[in-house]
Amino acid sequence: NILDQLASLYGGHEHVWIAGYSQGAVMSVAVALRGTDELLAGAFVVAGYPPRPLYTDDEGAMSLPSNWSAAVIERKRKTKIYFYTGELDRVLPISESFCRFKRVVDRYGLDPANYRFWSKTGYCHYPGDH
């Protein structure tokens, strides 16, 4: 797959960062946490939300895959994820993105030193959307 090709090109999965904005952010976090058993260097999630299979409105933060070994779970806990959104984002408000992401990182047991939440004062999801 493309992650394995990038890992081969750049010296291992631990050197591959994934990033995305809006729907790309949704895909980035899904790939970083569930799309591979390998530990990636990290993910930048800009104006996104946690998708299935990470979170559902009915069940909240989903459990880790039952077929993961203890070694895979320990690797995933070292995942670095940086979340960023505009303070005035009405498409994916902080209450619907950061709060849900926090539940996901807690469920996955991510080290608090490896994730951050930032918002930009006065910024929306789309330029000029006030």
Side-chain angles (χ1 to χ4, degrees):
N1 74 34
I2 193 165
L3 287 177
D4 294 334
Q5 292 174 27
L6 289 169
S8 176
L9 184 63
Y10 292 106
H13 289 85
E14 68 275 10
H15 298 285
V16 177
W17 283 88
I18 190 165
Y21 164 74
S22 197
Q23 185 63 33
V26 171
M27 297 306 298
S28 294
V29 73
V31 169
L33 289 177
R34 294 286 290 259
T36 178
D37 289 352
E38 301 295 330
L39 175 66
L40 301 180
F44 289 103
V45 179
V46 180
Y49 62 92
R52 290 184 177 128
L54 300 176
Y55 189 96
T56 68
D57 289 338
D58 295 333
E59 299 179 43
M62 304 298 289
S63 297
L64 283 67
S66 59
N67 63 339
W68 278 4
S69 68
V72 170
I73 291 170
E74 191 56 36
R75 270 198 309 272
K76 286 299 178 176
R77 288 187 172 145
K78 297 175 185 172
T79 301
K80 292 182 176 96
I81 304 181
Y82 303 109
F83 305 96
Y84 173 86
T85 196
E87 169 200 37
L88 302 175
D89 189 332
R90 293 185 300 198
V91 176
L92 298 169
I94 289 174
S95 63
E96 293 184 26
S97 59
F98 283 8
C99 294
R100 291 176 182 182
F101 275 128
K102 177 66 170 111
R103 291 182 190 116
V104 170
V105 299
D106 287 348
R107 174 63 63 106
Y108 271 68
L110 268 61
D111 182 339
N114 288 343
Y115 62 87
R116 298 282 185 277
F117 294 92
W118 288 283
S119 64
K120 179 79 172 169
T121 303
Y123 278 69
C124 302
H125 196 82
Y126 301 109
D129 182 23
H130 296 289

